[in-house]
Amino acid sequence: MQSTDGRRPGVVVVLGTGGTIAGSADSAARHVAYQAGVLGADDLVAAVPALQRRPLEAETLARLDSCDMDHATWVALAARAAHHLARPEVAGVVVTHGTDTLEETAYFLHRTVAAARPLVLTAAMRPATALSPDGPQNLFDAVTLAREPGVHGVLAVLGGVVHAGCSLRKLHGYRVDAFGSGDAGPVALLEDGRVRLLRAWPDAPLHPVVTASADGLRDATGWPVVDIVTSHAGARGAVIDALVAAGARGIVIAGTGNGSVHAELRAAAARAVAAGVPVWRASRCPLGGVIVGADGGGPDALPSAGELTPVQARIELLLDLLAAG
Ligand code: SIN
């Protein structure tokens, strides 16, 4: 069924979590120095005249600078998104978020929320008080995408480009055009309020921790600690030893190139694995991931995170550890 304007009928729920899109600066010229997460979701909706005739609900879940994102907020956000997506009168859910950890939240939601209808994240690089903020257009595009017939899965829309939640990555620290989809490329474009599909909407294979138990992710208290260590010239194995001593239950190494790891870290990783702490290797390169087997494996080869970025691999290992109990 379609609405009279050709869109998916129903309400779009906007869940606010903070970020620059909700940020405020003391001068319209400031794009980098400002306070993130000041405005609520209803303020963001109210700032877009074109959204005033749309059936929308706005709910503020958090007012975080997303560099401070935490697992408790992820659990609350996933639960709230799932709740609204299950309401028959809801067309889709939009999440407003900071850009700094948007890719992590997108990947977490991709693996934990069954999104038979669109779950669309959006953000902004410029605060709401900027002379030319990018947030209002991004929010408008996100709502448009959430009402588009046939769309499903966890998506992100920024600058008119639609990314799969599992492919999103932040590539630039301050430019408006800051995001990419890695080697996968974008899923669609938003052109003048119309969606141009470039490839299939992403499927959402949920992590087994979600499908195995309804209680799987209800509370982040006591979640296993999974840390990331970067491999670099002069890397010290003592970092991994210290993390294990401090209670890390899993470690992801952001390796060089195709996931290669400094000998000092390899030795420390072997000690961690012997102590029961799994260690995965990803690549610190922005593109390419780790091609399994391309390094010939070897007796001390650590499990590879494949195409996952280090921050995505950290989430995947965390979910695996939760599933293992
Ligand atoms: C944040 O991630 O909350 C601040 C930076 C941004 O949204 O661009």
Side-chain angles (χ1 to χ4, degrees):
M1 186 176 68
Q2 290 196 350
S3 61
T4 48
D5 62 358
R7 301 289 184 192
R8 193 193 290 262
V11 177
V12 173
V13 181
V14 179
L15 299 177
T17 67
T20 295
I21 192 167
S24 172
D26 56 13
S27 146
R30 287 195 184 279
H31 291 167
V32 180
Y34 55 83
Q35 191 181 347
V38 175
L39 305 173
D42 45 354
D43 299 315
L44 301 187
V45 169
V48 186
L51 289 180
Q52 302 319 305
R53 298 182 308 278
R54 302 273 193 270
L56 290 175
E57 294 174 14
E59 198 175 305
T60 304
L61 283 187
R63 292 171 188 264
L64 283 174
D65 184 319
S66 82
C67 72
D68 297 326
M69 186 51 65
D70 53 62
H71 297 161
T73 305
W74 274 357
V75 169
L77 176 59
R80 217 54 201 142
H83 162 80
H84 288 300
L85 288 171
R87 291 169 54 201
E89 71 275 25
V90 168
V93 171
V94 167
V95 176
T96 58
H97 196 286
T99 62
D100 284 349
T101 55
L102 187 66
E103 64 199 80
E104 296 181 52
T105 300
Y107 189 78
F108 179 77
L109 295 176
H110 167 77
R111 292 296 274 148
T112 61
V113 178
R117 282 174 266 172
L119 174 51
V120 185
L121 294 102
T122 196
M125 293 298 291
R126 292 179 177 168
T129 47
L131 273 179
S132 168
D134 47 332
Q137 181 69 52
N138 285 346
L139 180 57
F140 180 78
D141 285 347
V143 171
T144 302
L145 191 60
R147 299 184 69 228
E148 177 76 4
V151 181
H152 64 265
V154 176
L155 302 159
V157 61
L158 299 119
V161 181
V162 182
H163 309 272
C166 56
S167 308
L168 184 71
R169 54 202 69 194
K170 187 171 180 180
L171 301 174
H172 200 281
Y174 63 83
R175 285 193 196 143
V176 171
D177 184 14
F179 283 86
S181 287
D183 294 319
V187 181
L189 301 174
L190 254 296
E191 296 170 332
D192 237 6
R194 286 197 189 81
V195 178
R196 173 150 66 105
L197 191 60
L198 301 177
R199 60 184 176 90
W201 298 111
D203 283 328
L206 294 179
H207 191 279
V209 74
V210 182
T211 44
S213 151
D215 287 341
L217 294 175
R218 217 160 260 181
D219 184 358
T221 315
W223 276 13
V225 175
V226 180
D227 290 307
I228 300 174
V229 174
T230 301
S231 188
H232 54 84
R236 295 184 311 138
V239 175
I240 289 183
D241 294 335
L243 289 173
V244 172
R249 296 259 316 278
I251 292 172
V252 172
I253 299 179
T256 38
N258 188 47
S260 51
V261 175
H262 192 289
E264 289 285 324
L265 295 183
R266 287 206 307 275
R271 293 193 288 276
V273 172
V277 176
V279 182
W280 290 4
R281 65 194 169 95
S283 175
R284 67 180 207 188
C285 295
L287 297 175
V290 177
I291 299 176
V292 182
D295 54 2
D300 60 350
L302 296 164
S304 144
E307 65 186 11
L308 300 181
T309 64
V311 292
Q312 290 176 331
R314 192 194 78 84
I315 294 167
E316 197 66 30
L317 180 50
L318 170 59
L319 296 175
D320 281 5
L321 290 169
L322 281 170

